[in-house]
């Protein structure tokens, strides 16, 4: 009897406990669905904002590269600068472009036509800026620029090897006392032709080395008097000096040592 009373009590208690209704279950499911929907909308909105920011960054990068390209373009070859070289008027070109320009005895800026009386200066800072700008381009444009840089580096290396070989030959000739006719003596027509034929293949330091065979060096140019400087102009057949001032003659001879 005791056990039956316990069972009856348990049944009475459990019968009085409220059971979850179908409506409550559906409400919970609806609430859970709303939460998932809200989270999904938040994720979608976040992804959209991220995509917008990335697109804006890409647009800014493209704009910056376009603007930089106009500032970092060589006006001679109309392409990105390779081994940037700046002349006296502050305009900058590819080293090979401006060197070739001046080797044709065009001693004026290709842009502003201001006279150029000194060798261009390399700008490694500009080279770094160009490299960083080019990295923003597509693969094809980067590859094309890389080929130009490699070609320029190869040409410089060839020039260095030629300079080393000529330096050795010139030193050996001078040590044996086999120098050319001296720059401040009066050269014959044959002397002029012989020297012109030999020197025309060279530019830059290599040309300067070849000129040492005649005693024509930077030191000589700065120390010679007006009579010797004038004789040098005659020997080298330089006729484009506008006036006979010593400084003008010296500057022209210094340019001859590098370019002709």
């Amino acid at each position: 009897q005791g056990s039956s009373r316990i069972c009856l009590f348990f049944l009475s208690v459990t019968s009085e406990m409220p059971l979850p209704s179908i409506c409550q279950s559906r409400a919970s499911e609806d609430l859970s669905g709303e939460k998932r929907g809200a989270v999904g909308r938040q994720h979608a909105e976040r992804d959209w904002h991220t995509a917008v920011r990335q697109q804006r960054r890409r647009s800014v990068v493209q704009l910056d590269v376009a603007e930089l390209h106009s500032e970092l373009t060589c006006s001679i070859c109309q392409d990105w600068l390779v081994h940037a070289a700046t002349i006296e008027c502050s305009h900058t070109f590819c080293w090979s472009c401006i060197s070739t320009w001046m080797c044709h005895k065009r001693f004026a800026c290709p842009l502003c036509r201001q006279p150029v009386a000194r060798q261009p200066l390399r700008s490694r800072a500009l080279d770094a800026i160009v490299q960083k700008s080019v990295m923003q381009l597509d693969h094809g444009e980067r590859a094309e620029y890389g080929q130009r840089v490699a070609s320029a580096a190869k040409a410089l290396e060839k020039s260095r090897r030629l300079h080393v070989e000529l330096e050795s030959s010139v030193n050996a000739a001078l040590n044996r006392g086999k120098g050319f006719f001296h720059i401040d003596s009066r050269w014959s027509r044959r002397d002029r032709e012989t020297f012109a034929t030999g020197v025309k293949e060279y530019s830059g330091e290599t040309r300067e080395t070849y000129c040492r065979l005649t005693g024509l060096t930077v030191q000589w140019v700065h120390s010679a008097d007006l009579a010797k400087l004038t004789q040098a102009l005659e020997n080298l057949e330089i006729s484009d000096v506008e006036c006979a001032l010593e400084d003008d003659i010296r500057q022209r001879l210094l340019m001859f040592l590098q370019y002709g």
Side-chain angles (χ1 to χ4, degrees):
Q1 291 179 352
S3 61
S4 62
R5 283 197 297 271
I6 293 173
C7 291
L8 290 172
F9 175 76
F10 178 76
L11 289 172
S12 64
V13 171
T14 55
S15 63
E16 293 176 359
M17 293 177 63
L19 297 175
S21 65
I22 295 176
C23 293
Q24 288 176 327
S25 176
R26 288 178 177 175
S28 298
E29 290 177 358
D30 292 342
L31 182 59
S32 177
E34 289 179 2
K35 288 182 178 179
R36 287 196 299 270
V39 171
R41 286 192 296 273
Q42 289 176 353
H43 288 172
E45 185 176 358
R46 183 183 60 192
D47 293 342
W48 181 81
H49 284 297
T50 300
V52 169
R53 286 195 298 270
Q54 290 176 345
Q55 180 61 37
R56 286 176 178 172
R57 282 197 294 268
R58 283 194 294 268
S59 299
V60 170
V61 168
Q62 291 172 356
L63 178 62
D64 289 345
V65 170
E67 290 180 349
L68 284 172
H69 185 259
S70 63
E71 297 296 329
L72 300 175
T73 296
C74 171
S75 63
I76 297 177
C77 68
Q78 297 297 312
D79 209 337
W80 290 97
L81 292 167
V82 173
H83 298 162
T86 303
I87 57 178
E88 294 165 77
C89 59
S90 298
H91 287 125
T92 303
F93 310 88
C94 299
W95 176 266
S96 61
C97 290
I98 192 62
S99 295
T100 301
W101 172 272
M102 292 199 293
C103 280
H104 288 86
K105 299 181 181 179
R106 291 179 289 199
F107 300 122
C109 174
L111 283 176
C112 66
R113 302 302 174 185
Q114 181 175 324
V116 178
R118 293 177 178 81
Q119 187 178 12
L121 297 177
R122 282 290 307 277
S123 177
R124 302 192 185 281
L126 275 179
D127 287 343
I129 294 173
V130 172
Q131 288 283 355
K132 290 181 179 179
S133 301
V134 169
M135 291 304 296
Q136 305 296 330
L137 303 176
D138 60 40
H139 175 74
E141 291 175 304
R142 291 200 306 270
E144 181 183 355
Y145 180 77
Q147 290 175 354
R148 292 180 59 225
V149 172
S151 178
K154 186 177 180 180
L156 284 177
E157 181 58 30
K158 180 180 178 181
S159 177
R160 290 191 188 99
R161 288 199 304 268
L162 180 62
H163 177 256
V164 170
E165 293 172 1
L166 184 63
E167 181 85 22
S168 178
S169 298
V170 167
N171 288 337
L174 292 175
N175 289 336
R176 294 195 302 268
K178 292 186 177 181
F180 270 132
F181 17 83
H182 202 273
I183 187 63
D184 58 12
S185 63
R186 189 177 185 85
W187 292 1
S188 66
R189 169 59 60 182
R190 183 178 179 181
D191 294 338
R192 296 174 188 175
E193 291 175 353
T194 300
F195 178 77
T197 300
V199 78
K200 69 179 181 180
E201 301 296 329
Y202 306 116
S203 64
E205 291 182 343
T206 311
R207 183 184 182 91
E208 190 173 337
T209 297
Y210 188 88
C211 289
R212 280 175 50 207
L213 288 168
T214 68
L216 178 58
T217 64
V218 173
Q219 292 78 9
W220 183 89
V221 170
H222 285 299
S223 62
D225 58 28
L226 180 58
K228 292 180 178 179
L229 293 172
T230 304
Q231 183 62 60
L233 289 180
E234 182 181 332
N235 290 337
L236 301 173
E237 298 184 322
I238 297 175
S239 58
D240 57 358
V241 180
E242 295 182 358
C243 59
L245 295 177
E246 283 192 31
D247 287 344
D248 294 329
I249 297 175
R250 292 185 203 281
Q251 284 302 134
R252 182 62 185 89
L253 289 173
L254 291 174
M255 295 300 284
F256 178 87
L257 280 169
Q258 293 290 323
Y259 304 107

